[in-house]
Each structure stands twice: as C-alpha cells, then as structure tokens.
C-alpha cells in the first residue's frame, strides 16, 4: 500500500492569450484601485467641506441674530445701500450676501446642523461614482486584453 502515490495532475500551462488577459486584468485591478482611492479621497474632502460650510453658515446666522437682538444699527454697503455689509456689522462671511436680514434670522431660528448631516450625501454620491469609475477602468483593461488575445478564454 505504501507504493501507491496520491493522484496529482500537473498544472496545465497557460496559453499566450490567457497570459495576456491575466496581465491586463492585473493592470486593470491596479488602475481601478487607484481610481477608487482617489475618488474616495475626493469624496471625503468634499463631504467635510460641505459640512463645515453649513456649520459656518449657521454660526454667521446666529451671530446676526444676536447682534439684531442687541439692536445694533445695520451698516449697509457703500455702493448698494439695500445690502447689509455683514463684515462691518460684526458677522463676517459671505453666506447671506445680498439677502435681507429676515433670511438670516430665519436660518438662525432653525436647528444647528447635526454631525454629518450635510456630509452624507456628497460622500455617498462620490463613493458611488468612484466605484462605477473603477469598475469601468477594470472592464476597459480586461476588454483590451481579451481583444488583443484574440477572444480566447480566460
């Protein structure tokens, strides 16, 4: 019984076309991963910036509401007396540029932005676009390899 060796088959060597496709698949995986990582990084940066923008907008609105409650005189712009100069008023920012005071007061009466409230949508959208682009890059390289290999099997 010891003379019987277990059945082992020798690995089948890959054809030139299969090697070509395998190489292009690997290139596609690397290129797709690079696209995915760059897309995720841009998504995170965009989401953080959007959340920060909304936090600063609410902070400017509460500053305006506080100064209006203190009955401070509104300072208008020199070139347009219908617009309030928020920098001179004591609440710098560009979020309510050209808007009447009532718009800023209405925004201040609302609830402050919740953590990640305005970051979820840009991140989700960016992640979906990144995944789709990285899959498209992988499929592109796989298709090029398949076409150049002469439509051979994987």
């Amino acid at each position: 019984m010891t003379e019987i060796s277990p059945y082992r088959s020798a690995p089948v060597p890959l054809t030139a076309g299969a090697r070509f496709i395998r190489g292009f698949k690997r290139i596609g995986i690397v290129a797709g991963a690079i696209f995915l990582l760059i897309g995720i990084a841009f998504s995170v940066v965009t989401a953080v910036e959007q959340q920060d923008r909304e936090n600063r907008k609410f902070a400017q609105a509460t500053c305006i509401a506080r100064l209006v409650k203190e009955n401070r005189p509104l300072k208008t712009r020199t070139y347009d007396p219908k617009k309030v100069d928020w920098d001179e008023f004591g609440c710098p920012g560009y979020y309510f540029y050209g808007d009447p005071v009532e718009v800023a007061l209405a925004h201040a009466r609302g609830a402050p932005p919740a953590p990640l409230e305005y970051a979820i949508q840009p991140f989700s959208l960016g992640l979906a676009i990144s995944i789709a682009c990285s899959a498209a890059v992988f499929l592109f390289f796989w298709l090029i390899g398949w076409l150049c290999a002469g439509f051979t099997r994987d």
Side-chain angles (χ1 to χ4, degrees), residues 31-56:
I34 290 171
F35 263 77
L36 184 65
L37 291 176
I38 290 172
I40 288 173
F42 275 117
S43 299
V44 167
V45 168
T46 304
V48 168
E49 194 275 329
Q50 180 72 21
Q51 183 69 32
D52 189 47
R53 182 182 324 146
E54 291 298 324
N55 287 335
R56 285 181 283 153

Side-chain angles (χ1 to χ4, degrees), residues 114-136:
L116 301 179
E117 178 182 5
Y118 293 96
I120 291 172
Q121 182 185 11
F123 179 73
S124 305
L125 187 61
L127 183 64
I129 291 171
S130 300
I131 290 171
C133 287
S134 64

Side-chain angles (χ1 to χ4, degrees), residues 11-94:
V12 178
L14 290 174
T15 64
R19 287 180 191 272
F20 203 74
I21 291 174
R22 184 175 66 177
F24 268 90
K25 272 187 189 176
R26 289 178 179 173
I27 292 171
I29 288 171
V30 170
I34 290 171
F35 263 77
L36 184 65
L37 291 176
I38 290 172
I40 288 173
F42 275 117
S43 299
V44 167
V45 168
T46 304
V48 168
E49 194 275 329
Q50 180 72 21
Q51 183 69 32
D52 189 47
R53 182 182 324 146
E54 291 298 324
N55 287 335
R56 285 181 283 153
K57 183 177 181 179
F58 184 76
Q60 184 184 12
T62 54
C63 175
I64 291 169
R66 180 177 44 82
L67 293 179
V68 167
K69 192 182 282 186
E70 293 173 0
N71 290 328
R72 293 242 183 118
L74 294 175
K75 296 180 181 176
T76 59
R77 299 209 178 261
T78 56
Y79 59 87
D80 191 358
K82 296 178 185 175
K83 294 181 181 175
V84 178
D85 189 359
W86 300 118
D87 294 332
E88 291 292 324
F89 189 56
C91 299
Y94 57 87

